[in-house]
């Protein structure tokens, strides 16, 4: 049984990427998203040295106010990656003005459409605006909602909009994760991926520690419980989905 860790910031972890991958022998490959220009370049460099790494490039909503300065360089890198991301909206931390976040998000969704690439999307406390921008840019079929934490109501709306996938992370295994488990129950397995979001969101019993790709199986087995499926079936279907999206 092998897994794909569909969102794993190896370049932000405190340990060398090859060491973290060595400790994850049951992880076939990982998606390493950029969050700005420097980390997008690092992701591409990792993908060049390891056939277990797929890189994506993009500007995270926290840094959206750098969009004007980094746009041209990021657009030049974008065709070298497997997706645009991580992009999105974060109204919980509000580290960039919301207007800047919306502009950077919409522009990068259009870039994904121009390049015919998937888009890795982060959302926190911004579901209504996220929905509206994806709808307006007509990009739902390329959107992967990473670290999905929306409840059943928003899950149904994004399913109806036609997003490519919901990606589940540590919260689906948290003791406090009932809302995301109720959401996961209505997501068809063929529209799901699993991820660690390394180095963040370590699942139990490792909460509070830096996360690493070896723990993706904990996320997968939490989903297996939600769906009432054997864990092997979840590993197989989520790996197929990741391959279809990131390595077509
Ligand atoms: Zn991330």
């Amino acid at each position: 049984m092998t897994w794909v860790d569909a969102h794993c910031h190896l370049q932000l972890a405190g340990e060398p990427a090859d060491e973290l991958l060595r400790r994850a022998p049951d992880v076939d490959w990982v998606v390493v998203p950029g969050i700005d220009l420097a980390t997008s370049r690092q992701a591409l460099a990792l993908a060049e040295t390891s056939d277990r790494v797929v890189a994506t490039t993009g500007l995270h909503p926290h840094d959206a106010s750098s969009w004007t300065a980094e746009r041209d360089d990021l657009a030049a890198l974008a065709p070298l990656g497997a997706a645009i991301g991580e992009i999105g909206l974060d109204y919980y931390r509000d580290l960039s003005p919301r207007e800047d976040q919306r502009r950077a998000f919409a522009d990068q969704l259009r870039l994904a459409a121009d390049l015919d690439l998937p888009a890795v999307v982060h959302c926190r406390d911004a579901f209504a605006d996220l929905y509206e921008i994806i709808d307006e840019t007509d990009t739902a079929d390329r959107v992967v909602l990473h670290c999905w934490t929306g409840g059943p109501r928003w899950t149904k709306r994004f399913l109806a909009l036609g997003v490519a996938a919901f990606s589940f992370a540590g919260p689906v295994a948290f003791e406090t994760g009932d809302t995301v488990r109720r959401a996961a129950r209505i997501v068809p397995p063929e529209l799901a991926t699993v991820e660690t979001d390394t180095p963040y969101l370590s699942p139990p019993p490792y909460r509070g520690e830096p996360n690493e790709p070896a723990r993706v199986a904990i996320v997968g087995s939490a989903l297996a419980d939600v769906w009432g499926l054997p864990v092997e079936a979840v590993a197989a279907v989520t790996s197929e989905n990741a391959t279809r999206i990131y390595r077509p």
Side-chain angles (χ1 to χ4, degrees):
M1 174 170 59
T2 60
W3 299 91
V4 174
D5 182 352
H7 197 103
C8 178
H9 296 283
L10 286 179
Q11 78 279 51
L12 304 180
E15 289 184 77
D18 53 356
E19 173 60 21
L20 293 171
L21 290 173
R22 193 190 58 74
R23 287 211 296 266
D26 61 344
V27 174
D28 208 5
W29 52 279
V30 303
V31 177
V32 177
I35 54 172
D36 59 12
L37 185 56
T39 55
S40 295
R41 286 188 175 128
Q42 288 162 0
L44 289 168
L46 284 170
E48 257 178 39
T49 56
S50 171
D51 58 11
R52 292 171 73 196
V53 171
V54 166
T56 80
T57 69
L59 187 65
H60 194 280
H62 291 343
D63 296 304
S65 43
S66 315
W67 178 237
T68 313
E70 297 197 350
R71 172 176 27 205
D72 291 349
D73 288 336
L74 278 166
L77 286 189
L80 307 174
I84 303 298
E86 108 181 53
I87 61 177
L89 302 174
D90 193 316
Y91 294 176
Y92 178 75
R93 295 189 64 194
D94 272 332
L95 296 184
S96 280
R98 292 182 180 183
E99 189 51 43
D100 290 356
Q101 293 190 41
R102 288 189 286 267
R103 186 179 318 115
F105 181 45
D107 281 359
Q108 291 183 96
L109 283 176
R110 287 189 203 99
L111 179 63
D114 287 347
L115 297 170
D116 194 21
L117 288 173
V120 181
V121 172
H122 167 110
C123 180
R124 207 153 171 212
D125 288 359
F127 296 110
D129 280 3
L130 196 91
Y131 182 97
E132 192 181 302
I133 292 170
I134 294 169
D135 193 21
E136 272 171 13
T137 53
D138 197 19
T139 50
D141 61 346
R142 58 188 71 252
V143 163
V144 176
L145 295 165
H146 123 79
C147 189
W148 181 245
T149 54
R153 179 172 152 264
W154 278 112
T155 303
K156 281 183 198 147
R157 291 200 66 192
F158 281 101
L159 272 172
L161 187 61
V163 295
F166 296 80
S167 193
F168 292 96
V172 77
F174 288 0
E175 203 179 317
T176 53
D178 277 336
T179 304
V180 64
R181 282 188 287 273
R182 282 191 290 122
R185 206 166 291 137
I186 58 175
V187 172
E190 20 341 311
L191 294 185
T193 59
V194 288
E195 59 172 71
T196 56
D197 203 10
T198 291
Y200 312 111
L201 294 171
S202 245
Y206 304 102
R207 281 196 76 175
E209 292 176 26
N211 204 359
E212 56 181 87
R215 295 179 191 152
V216 74
I218 299 173
V219 176
S221 77
L223 270 184
D225 288 346
V226 166
W227 287 332
L229 287 175
V231 70
E232 293 81 3
V234 174
V237 71
T238 56
S239 296
E240 267 172 46
N241 298 337
T243 302
R244 184 178 69 242
I245 294 165
Y246 297 109
R247 285 183 150 173

